[in-house]
């Protein structure tokens, strides 16, 4: 199979869009992340290539060049998330493994000004459907900190399964943090994840910030393993 099959591609559902990240997104990426520094800090993996603070464009251009190189190699699908054509975040289907696995991980972050509008679940559904039915992947994971109940509600509504905790998986906000592994395979959404989301979205949605390495969301109280518990916070 051609590992670049289905890429690059632009996807849309109503006002929500996914388009391939481009070098000229560097300014929007820098400005949006700087404006959302406090919103993103608790959930961002600690690594220097994607700084939260306002800096020159060079680190962002270098990061985008690296991301686009991986995409050309068939190892990731990096999108800008848009709302009515405006850049509002980033979503990546990355860590793609071919051969007998055909698996990947999905992660995102979003501008706090657009949380609670159903942007995140719609974008995730678009990306997963394309990964399964446009590219030929079989399994998608989303690794989420137990504290991030809003994003856990997103994947639960979309049909991802809780497969247990991965201890100290990523270094985030100064420490190694546990993550819950959620996963789904193509057999579980034969009619597509977007259709599942459309059918269930009338019951409400959660949307939070996140990481391009794994979906994240704002903190909540109560049982951290209960994605159906009531949310607290801004969402």
């Amino acid at each position: 199979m051609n590992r670049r099959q289905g890429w690059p591609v632009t996807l849309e559902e109503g006002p929500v869009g996914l388009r391939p990240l481009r070098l000229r997104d560097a300014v929007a990426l820098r400005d949006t992340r700087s404006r959302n520094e406090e919103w993103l800090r608790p959930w961002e993996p600690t690594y220097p290539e994607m700084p939260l603070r306002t800096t020159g464009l060079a680190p962002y251009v270098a990061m985008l060049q690296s991301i686009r190189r991986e995409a050309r190699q068939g190892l990731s699908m990096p999108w800008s998330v848009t709302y009515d054509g405006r850049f509002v975040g980033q979503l990546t289907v990355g860590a793609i493994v071919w051969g007998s696995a055909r698996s990947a991980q999905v992660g995102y972050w979003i501008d706090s000004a657009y949380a609670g509008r159903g942007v995140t679940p719609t974008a995730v559904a678009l990306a997963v459907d394309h990964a399964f039915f446009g590219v030929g992947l079989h399994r998608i994971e989303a690794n989420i900190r137990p504290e991030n109940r809003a994003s856990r509600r997103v994947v639960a509504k979309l049909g991802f399964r809780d497969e247990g905790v991965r201890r100290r998986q990523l270094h985030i906000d100064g420490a190694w943090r546990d993550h819950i592994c959620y996963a789904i395979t193509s057999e579980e959404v034969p009619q597509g994840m977007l259709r599942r989301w459309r059918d269930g979205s009338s019951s409400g949605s959660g949307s939070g910030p996140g990481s391009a390495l794994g979906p994240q969301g704002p903190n909540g109280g109560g049982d951290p393993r209960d994605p159906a518990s009531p949310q607290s916070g801004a969402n």
Side-chain angles (χ1 to χ4, degrees):
M1 186 183 93
N2 179 356
R3 293 185 179 180
R4 288 174 289 181
Q5 175 182 322
W7 185 263
V9 66
T10 297
L11 308 170
E12 294 182 347
E13 171 67 13
V16 179
L18 293 175
R19 60 164 173 76
L21 273 169
R22 51 202 185 193
L23 292 180
R24 60 181 177 271
D25 287 324
V27 173
L29 187 60
R30 179 195 61 186
D31 294 347
T32 306
R33 291 179 63 80
S34 176
R35 188 172 63 253
N36 286 270
E37 180 179 355
E38 295 303 318
W39 169 252
L40 295 174
R41 180 184 290 115
W43 321 113
E44 280 292 302
T46 308
Y47 60 112
E49 291 82 2
M50 189 181 288
L52 282 173
R53 286 184 166 79
T54 302
T55 67
L57 286 179
Y60 293 92
V61 172
M63 181 196 69
L64 289 169
Q65 288 173 331
S66 176
I67 287 172
R68 286 161 57 84
R69 184 165 54 249
E70 285 193 356
R72 290 193 298 269
Q73 295 170 346
L75 301 177
S76 70
M77 292 183 285
W79 280 286
S80 294
V81 180
T82 62
Y83 190 84
D84 285 336
R86 178 184 176 87
F87 180 96
V88 298
Q90 180 185 349
L91 184 149
T92 298
V93 175
I96 295 175
V97 178
W98 295 96
S100 58
R102 296 200 179 196
S103 65
Q105 297 182 22
V106 62
Y108 61 82
W109 62 267
I110 190 169
D111 188 331
S112 60
Y114 292 84
R117 303 189 192 189
V119 177
T120 300
T122 301
V124 172
L126 282 167
V128 170
D129 281 355
H130 182 68
F132 285 159
F133 309 118
V135 175
L137 295 178
H138 174 252
R139 173 185 165 92
I140 303 289
E141 291 185 5
N143 293 293
I144 307 174
R145 286 187 61 183
E147 299 88 349
N148 293 319
R149 296 168 65 235
S151 281
R152 291 173 56 214
R153 284 173 60 89
V154 170
V155 293
K157 285 173 180 289
L158 292 176
F160 283 75
R161 285 172 286 99
D162 178 341
E163 293 192 337
V165 176
R166 292 181 171 175
R167 299 295 181 189
R168 297 174 290 280
Q169 184 185 27
L170 289 174
H171 195 270
I172 294 176
D173 199 28
W176 291 99
R177 308 292 185 178
D178 294 349
H179 285 68
I180 300 172
C181 177
Y182 290 89
I184 196 161
T185 62
S186 56
E187 295 92 341
E188 295 170 85
V189 282
Q191 296 181 317
M193 184 172 284
L194 184 61
R195 177 169 177 175
R196 172 179 287 179
W197 166 238
R198 286 190 192 124
D199 290 347
S201 61
S202 60
S203 63
S205 65
S207 179
S211 158
L213 299 183
Q216 313 294 337
N219 282 351
D223 180 0
R225 296 301 304 273
D226 179 10
S229 296
Q231 298 181 60
S232 66
N235 294 306

